[in-house]
Amino acid sequence: MIEHRLIERMLVVIKNVLAKIESMNKVDPLFVDTAVDFIRIYADRTHHGKEENILFRDLEKKLLSAEDRQVMEELIKEHRFGRETTKSLIEANNLYRNGDETAFSGIVDNLKILIEFYPRHIDKEDKLFFPSSRAYFTDKEEQAMLAEFWEFDRKMIHEKYNSVVEELKSRK
Ligand SMILES: [Fe+2]
Ligand SMILES: [Fe+2]
């Protein structure tokens, strides 16, 4: 939930910049790169990563109510939808950077989809899924999960900058 608050702050930034992008009818591809980096590395890899690889994995081992199971499946689908939208955004941004002005609408549309989709997803987790999922775990299990979250986060900075080096090497 703490991480949701930072994602929300970023969504507000994107929303404000999007208003300028639309009124000026142009976009700075470097802004989109920064937004994409945040969404991919923080919101998806770091945040959804902990949800999917730790929380949802452990919930899989529990006997979930039909409703909770359904919501968990929806959340996983929504993560996938977020990834696909981000991929389309990156493609549009690359086309635009290379001079294809028709890709402008692709950037605007996908940014809009992301800022509309994420708050609903976050709300579903904060108000519905997280409170009910806590009931399946003992305090001990919860502590073990938190420890695993820390370990997951600890590795993230190394994974990020490894990928930066690999990406730059592959450009040669
Ligand atoms: Fe999520
Ligand atoms: Fe989340």
Side-chain angles (χ1 to χ4, degrees):
M1 284 187 187
I2 292 168
E3 293 173 359
H4 284 167
R5 305 291 80 82
L6 186 62
I7 295 168
E8 284 168 344
R9 284 168 63 198
M10 185 58 172
L11 295 173
V12 171
V13 172
I14 295 174
K15 195 176 179 184
N16 291 336
V17 175
L18 193 53
K20 281 187 202 141
I21 290 172
E22 283 191 288
S23 72
M24 311 265 297
N25 224 20
K26 64 176 186 185
V27 57
D28 177 3
L30 286 177
F31 167 76
V32 181
D33 287 340
T34 309
V36 161
D37 183 75
F38 180 90
I39 294 163
R40 276 180 128 180
I41 305 298
Y42 188 76
D44 194 43
R45 184 74 191 105
T46 307
H47 178 74
H48 296 162
K50 286 201 289 296
E51 288 173 351
E52 290 183 3
N53 300 0
I54 299 168
L55 176 64
F56 296 174
R57 177 206 63 196
D58 284 0
L59 281 167
E60 267 309 325
K61 298 171 195 159
K62 305 283 180 183
L63 199 62
L64 298 188
S65 72
E67 198 205 339
D68 288 337
R69 178 157 296 279
Q70 195 206 320
V71 176
M72 187 163 85
E73 280 163 13
E74 283 169 20
L75 294 171
I76 293 168
K77 272 193 205 137
E78 288 167 16
H79 290 173
R80 220 175 289 144
F81 173 77
R83 264 166 227 141
E84 281 158 16
T85 308
T86 310
K87 206 168 150 240
S88 305
L89 174 63
I90 295 165
E91 283 162 7
N93 194 40
N94 287 338
L95 289 172
Y96 184 84
R97 195 193 327 258
N98 292 323
D100 180 356
E101 287 190 12
T102 64
F104 178 78
S105 62
I107 296 175
V108 170
D109 293 348
N110 285 299
L111 283 174
K112 271 189 191 160
I113 293 171
L114 286 169
I115 60 170
E116 279 162 19
F117 145 80
Y118 263 112
R120 278 186 282 125
H121 178 80
I122 284 173
D123 222 46
K124 200 191 269 187
E125 289 178 343
D126 279 354
K127 294 191 179 131
L128 184 70
F129 192 71
F130 289 170
S132 56
S133 68
R134 288 192 82 163
Y136 292 101
F137 299 110
T138 64
D139 285 349
K140 205 177 157 206
E141 285 171 324
E142 217 171 65
Q143 289 309 314
M145 225 185 294
L146 276 173
E148 221 182 322
F149 284 169
W150 286 117
E151 182 58 15
F152 191 94
D153 283 346
R154 190 189 66 74
K155 291 179 182 153
M156 224 21 83
I157 193 87
H158 305 285
E159 186 179 308
K160 156 78 186 169
Y161 286 101
N162 259 303
S163 78
V164 168
V165 173
E166 290 306 319
E167 152 76 12
L168 290 175
K169 266 171 68 183
S170 71
R171 275 194 208 169
K172 273 202 291 186

